Amino acid sequence: MPLTVLSRSQLRELLHALSRDDVVALQRNLADALRDYSSGSQEKGCSAAYQPQRTAITRQNGCTTLFMPASTGQTIGIKMISLQDGAKAGCAIERDIVDTQEKEQIISRRRGSFRNSVASLSSDMSDLSVGSSQGDKEDSNSVSPVTTTNDSSTTASSTDGSTLLSGCVNQQNVTSNVSKTLGAWPGAGARDTSPRGSVTLLDGESLPFALINAHELTAFRTALASLLMFNKRKKVRTLLVFGAGTQAYWHIRLALVLRGEDIRRVYIVNRSFERAAELLREIYKSENTEWRRDVKFSAMSTDFGEYARILKAHVRKADAIFCCTPSPEPLFPAEYLTTGEGRQKGRLICAIGSYKAHMAEIHPDILRDEVSVQPPHRHWHKHITRSGVIVVDSLDAAMKEAGEIIQAEIKPKQVVELGELLMVRDATRNAETVDEEKSLHEWSRRGNVIYKSVGLGLMDLVTGGDLVRLARERKLGTTVEDF
């Protein structure tokens, strides 16, 4: 059985050579997998029912390794990433931290049939209204997408999104004072926040056929998922990116590959200006001219004079905001978007950097404001109505790991999976009435959309498998013929 090995440099070479058509094809396959993940169908190999829980082990040297298994029905795989987090030795597995009522809501969503899930979401979207004193002009529309009632009587929250159950393989007892990250992330003060590890892929007969370096793959597949909503946006002239690492790079690059003709400005904000300058130097390399086009880039750091004033202007001006930092506190004040001026336009906000319960790139008040919807009515002034939901990659994982969602006390019924939206989109294409399709279409194009990603092993498995196929076709990587 031949084994294809893609090192970090080899994978980077492959990714940099991808055409727009290649990226679109990879994104389409990932979208199909996320749709199947959310379907709840036992016939779908990518369904959440077939995705095992992750587990983590901390060794004596304080290094924590996270194991993320996944299955597509045709292939299986596991992602292993490690970092120093200073925890005591032991093993940890996930434990549910939501209350019984919330758990039942999640199970119900998973158990529901495809048609019932679609009907429920379509019904939520049926009250979308578009009104304006200026007719149907784009910037004057009031878009009210998915609406969900906020039931304050069920507001029970957990303050620790990484609660663990002590235990280990073969039922061996270990200390209960094990790593509470379950994400293999470094502790405070650590310099390197990039995980190190690999993704192993096995075929239908459980024989390994690929080994991929996880660093570049993680950033690339995360950006692919974030940009599924970005593709549908009506206006993407101005992008604001927080962070200057690998995640930021791939969000910028793929955004320009997919929508470069529509983008005019990209603002980069990072704590270290030198790190931001390094990212700009990478972007401005001569070999990147084709996808960079004539887009104007600028960078700033927190030590800039009048930083708050400039940041506020950037946030208000942005059509799409990508948050790609492991920040323990919000990157900008909530009032930038929750006051009247901040609500005058719809934005896509993607938060993919935070990974612990105490972290929050987006201020929790922004999420609370988004889900606190009012009865549908027409606005005769320039104003975007709040959506009522937060979009996530995984409902189960987001309720356990997403700091913004935990701190804002968002409930399961106020969360919609990206895969569920794709289900509705596909189902309404052939619907007898176009009302549901129009509602989803208008919101995805011009409404306010907040997307929170915590990552899934399924993403690595699907995108990694596609990249291995491309690598073999293009004679890239290292092949071990008789593994």
Side-chain angles (χ1 to χ4, degrees):
M1 179 68 184
L3 178 79
T4 298
V5 179
L6 290 175
S7 67
R8 182 178 178 182
S9 60
Q10 291 170 334
L11 180 57
R12 190 172 177 84
E13 179 184 354
L14 173 62
L15 296 178
H16 283 196
L18 295 176
S19 67
R20 185 182 186 281
D21 289 343
D22 293 330
V23 173
V24 169
L26 290 168
Q27 196 175 47
R28 185 183 302 115
N29 288 343
L30 180 57
D32 289 343
L34 291 175
R35 181 196 60 201
D36 292 346
Y37 175 84
S38 298
S39 71
S41 171
Q42 295 293 325
E43 298 177 357
K44 304 291 186 179
C46 294
S47 172
Y50 291 100
Q51 308 309 317
Q53 288 187 332
R54 63 184 78 185
T55 185
I57 294 177
T58 300
R59 290 176 285 174
Q60 295 289 346
N61 61 2
C63 179
T64 297
T65 299
L66 173 69
F67 301 84
M68 299 172 62
S71 170
T72 67
Q74 300 297 321
T75 60
I76 58 175
I78 186 166
K79 179 179 182 178
M80 296 176 286
I81 50 176
S82 302
L83 270 179
Q84 292 288 139
D85 67 356
K88 292 185 178 181
C91 177
I93 60 174
E94 289 180 319
R95 185 179 69 186
D96 293 330
I97 63 169
V98 296
D99 60 30
T100 303
Q101 185 175 5
E102 290 176 337
K103 184 64 176 177
E104 284 300 319
Q105 292 175 17
I106 295 175
I107 293 174
S108 177
R109 290 268 286 274
R110 294 291 179 215
R111 186 183 296 150
S113 68
F114 177 86
R115 290 185 180 276
N116 288 340
S117 298
V118 170
S120 175
L121 286 172
S122 295
S123 175
D124 285 338
M125 294 178 187
S126 62
D127 288 328
L128 184 146
S129 61
V130 180
S132 167
S133 59
Q134 302 296 324
D136 290 329
K137 291 183 180 179
E138 171 195 337
D139 290 335
S140 300
N141 284 337
S142 170
V143 181
S144 173
V146 187
T147 57
T148 310
T149 303
N150 184 9
D151 184 359
S152 59
S153 65
T154 61
T155 304
S157 65
S158 171
T159 57
D160 185 0
S162 53
T163 304
L164 302 178
L165 178 65
S166 178
C168 197
V169 293
N170 299 325
Q171 305 301 314
Q172 295 297 312
N173 292 325
V174 295
T175 174
S176 60
N177 193 13
V178 297
S179 168
K180 292 188 178 296
T181 64
L182 201 63
W185 306 107
R191 296 182 179 180
D192 184 8
T193 60
S194 300
R196 300 176 181 178
S198 63
V199 177
T200 302
L201 305 181
L202 289 76
D203 64 15
E205 298 180 354
S206 299
L207 297 176
F209 68 89
L211 180 65
I212 310 172
N213 183 279
H215 181 89
E216 209 80 24
L217 176 60
T218 300
F220 180 80
R221 58 81 156 156
T222 303
L224 273 184
S226 296
L227 295 172
L228 283 170
M229 296 296 293
F230 179 80
N231 290 343
K232 304 299 181 182
R233 302 299 292 177
K234 174 67 174 179
K235 188 177 180 181
V236 292
R237 290 176 59 88
T238 304
L239 308 185
L240 174 59
V241 180
F242 288 93
T246 309
Q247 289 281 10
Y249 173 81
W250 279 112
H251 276 77
I252 293 172
R253 178 165 183 146
L254 291 185
L256 267 65
V257 167
L258 293 168
R259 299 286 303 274
E261 294 181 355
D262 303 315
I263 300 171
R264 295 292 177 267
R265 292 295 302 262
V266 176
Y267 298 108
I268 299 172
V269 179
N270 194 63
R271 285 191 304 173
S272 166
F273 182 74
E274 179 55 35
R275 184 84 179 271
E278 290 178 8
L279 176 58
L280 287 179
R281 285 192 286 270
E282 174 69 24
I283 292 172
Y284 273 94
K285 286 182 177 180
S286 57
E287 60 264 32
N288 294 330
T289 302
E290 182 177 355
W291 63 265
R292 187 182 67 239
R293 302 174 184 265
D294 58 352
V295 175
K296 296 181 179 179
F297 290 81
S298 61
M300 65 177 294
S301 64
T302 54
D303 56 2
F304 271 39
E306 298 190 61
Y307 171 77
R309 180 186 64 81
I310 299 174
L311 179 64
K312 182 178 181 180
H314 285 352
V315 171
R316 291 273 175 85
K317 187 181 298 183
D319 299 305
I321 301 175
F322 298 116
C323 303
C324 308
T325 77
S327 179
E329 56 190 34
L331 298 171
F332 54 88
E335 55 264 28
Y336 286 6
L337 297 182
T338 57
T339 57
E341 185 177 352
R343 292 179 181 170
Q344 288 184 5
K345 63 184 292 184
R347 299 174 183 83
L348 169 65
I349 306 175
C350 298
I352 57 90
S354 61
Y355 46 81
K356 293 183 183 180
H358 74 278
M359 292 181 167
E361 294 180 286
I362 306 174
H363 198 289
D365 284 348
I366 295 177
L367 276 70
R368 295 188 188 103
D369 186 69
E370 193 66 23
V371 301
S372 300
V373 297
Q374 303 297 325
H377 62 282
R378 285 186 177 275
H379 291 272
W380 300 104
H381 55 278
K382 189 175 180 180
H383 185 262
I384 296 295
T385 305
R386 289 157 291 179
S387 69
V389 296
I390 307 299
V391 183
V392 299
D393 47 4
S394 168
L395 171 63
D396 310 66
M399 299 305 297
K400 300 172 186 176
E401 303 171 12
E404 293 93 341
I405 289 178
I406 293 170
Q407 293 176 38
E409 300 182 339
I410 302 299
K411 314 307 291 181
K413 62 184 177 181
Q414 297 167 326
V415 174
V416 174
E417 286 183 343
L418 184 56
E420 290 181 291
L421 294 179
L422 295 171
M423 289 163 57
V424 176
R425 179 203 64 185
D426 294 343
T428 55
R429 281 176 176 171
N430 300 319
E432 295 181 1
T433 173
V434 298
D435 290 344
E436 293 87 354
E437 183 178 5
K438 182 179 179 181
S439 298
L440 178 60
H441 182 66
E442 289 298 313
W443 172 52
S444 63
R445 292 176 76 241
R446 297 183 296 185
N448 216 46
V449 179
I450 297 177
Y451 170 68
K452 174 60 190 176
S453 172
V454 293
L456 290 169
L458 179 64
M459 295 177 176
D460 300 287
L461 182 55
V462 172
T463 301
D466 286 342
L467 291 173
V468 169
R469 176 182 53 79
L470 288 174
R472 289 177 173 178
E473 291 175 356
R474 302 176 186 189
K475 309 301 182 183
L476 293 174
T478 303
T479 301
V480 181
E481 293 295 344
D482 189 18
F483 184 78

